[in-house]
Amino acid sequence: HGIEESKRAAAVQAVKENFPPDPHFVGIGSGTTIVYVVEAIKALEQDVSRVGFVPTGSQSRQLILDAGLKAVQFDSIPEKAVLDICFDGADEVDEDLNCIKGGGACLFQEKLVAMRSKKFICVADHRKLQSRLLTSWPSIPIEVAPIAARQVLVRLRELGSPSPHLREGHIPKAGPLKTDQDFFIIDAPFPRLLTSSDLKSTSASTPRHDDGVSNNGADNDSRSEGRGKDGIWEV
Ligand code: DER
């Protein structure tokens, strides 16, 4: 099969095996594979005209509207309501179904929708499956508020990323790409996935100054609150 046929086959099977008989809200992810998921939903026998399809960004919303389906923005869902299911793609998946997401710079809304869904169906062709993450997708995308970007870059370097960097827009626009939330995307390459002990060990280190010099720990009392000498907060 060519790649497009593999994506379509994965999408058709995912919808056939998982689309609920009478859902109220269904999450629709971002990227190119999800196009085949919407196509498969449209091809279902059942009537989906009353289903609220919740987008994960402007591309996803356009896809829902172009398919003639009802789009319901995340903040319009009734307060106590949850989504019956959410379909989305991924950049890389391991055998435990851990995913790297964010290649399409929609990960904030994707996460919002996935976390509010009873079930998350990841639709990915064979290229995405690796024995461990960071094999074919070299970095971890992070969506960050512009004002926090510099501090997050510092922290990522402390966590061992050799070259975390802001993702540039691929359209003629000087400066970093902006997401649907008007946030930046940092891509942080890592040689291997961090473990919780990696995170514990670095966060236990003494707070660092901007110039990277560790303080002498003199302000132990403030460190207990996680705030370094010069106010840098350990995350
Ligand atoms: O950004 C994401 O996480 C998307 O789901 C996306 O990367 C998947 O893209 P694809 O279906 O075009 O490979």
Side-chain angles (χ1 to χ4, degrees):
H1 280 312
I3 292 298
E4 296 311 310
E5 286 72 21
S6 303
K7 289 179 182 178
R8 175 180 278 117
V12 167
Q13 187 170 347
V15 168
K16 198 167 130 214
E17 290 180 4
N18 297 285
F19 199 84
D22 184 20
H24 294 283
F25 296 104
V26 173
I28 296 294
S30 306
T32 58
T33 308
I34 200 71
V35 174
Y36 297 111
V37 167
V38 171
E39 197 181 83
I41 292 171
K42 284 288 286 177
L44 287 171
E45 301 283 303
Q46 70 195 76
D47 172 15
V48 293
S49 58
R50 289 193 316 280
V51 178
F53 289 92
V54 184
T56 51
S58 50
Q59 178 239 344
S60 167
R61 176 172 167 75
Q62 207 49 55
L63 183 61
I64 295 167
L65 295 174
D66 290 351
L69 299 172
K70 186 170 73 171
V72 174
Q73 284 295 74
F74 182 80
D75 55 359
S76 306
I77 303 171
E79 210 170 283
K80 298 269 183 265
V82 292
L83 283 70
D84 300 81
I85 195 167
C86 164
F87 294 90
D88 200 348
D91 300 305
E92 198 173 57
V93 187
D94 70 12
E95 270 95 7
D96 299 323
L97 293 185
N98 297 302
C99 298
I100 291 183
K101 287 186 62 50
C106 296
L107 63 167
F108 180 81
Q109 283 192 40
E110 288 173 340
K111 185 101 180 193
L112 278 185
V113 170
M115 285 174 67
R116 196 163 169 186
S117 302
K118 289 179 202 160
K119 202 174 181 185
F120 176 79
I121 305 292
C122 175
V123 187
D125 62 78
H126 57 280
R127 295 170 303 164
K128 312 292 183 73
L129 183 60
Q130 300 292 342
S131 53
R132 66 175 195 82
L133 294 182
L134 292 167
T135 299
S136 62
W137 196 272
S139 54
I140 304 289
I142 297 150
E143 185 160 352
V144 63
I147 196 166
R150 281 174 53 78
Q151 184 180 340
V152 173
L153 287 164
V154 167
R155 187 78 183 102
L156 287 164
R157 277 191 284 273
E158 287 178 350
L159 287 169
S161 177
S163 54
H165 53 279
L166 288 177
R167 188 179 301 176
E168 291 299 312
H170 297 295
I171 47 175
K173 171 194 173 293
L177 167 146
K178 284 292 193 75
T179 69
D180 294 306
Q181 281 68 239
D182 216 20
F183 278 12
F184 288 155
I185 295 286
I186 291 174
D187 288 305
F190 276 98
R192 60 169 179 79
L193 271 188
L194 296 179
T195 62
S196 47
S197 54
D198 291 324
L199 294 168
K200 277 198 202 85
S201 61
T202 45
S203 63
S205 65
T206 50
R208 303 183 72 86
H209 297 278
D210 270 332
D211 56 11
V213 175
S214 295
N215 75 355
N216 59 7
D219 52 342
N220 283 319
D221 48 23
S222 64
R223 186 167 49 183
S224 61
E225 298 142 34
R227 186 158 59 85
K229 194 178 182 87
D230 46 346
I232 294 265
W233 287 83
E234 294 298 305
V235 291

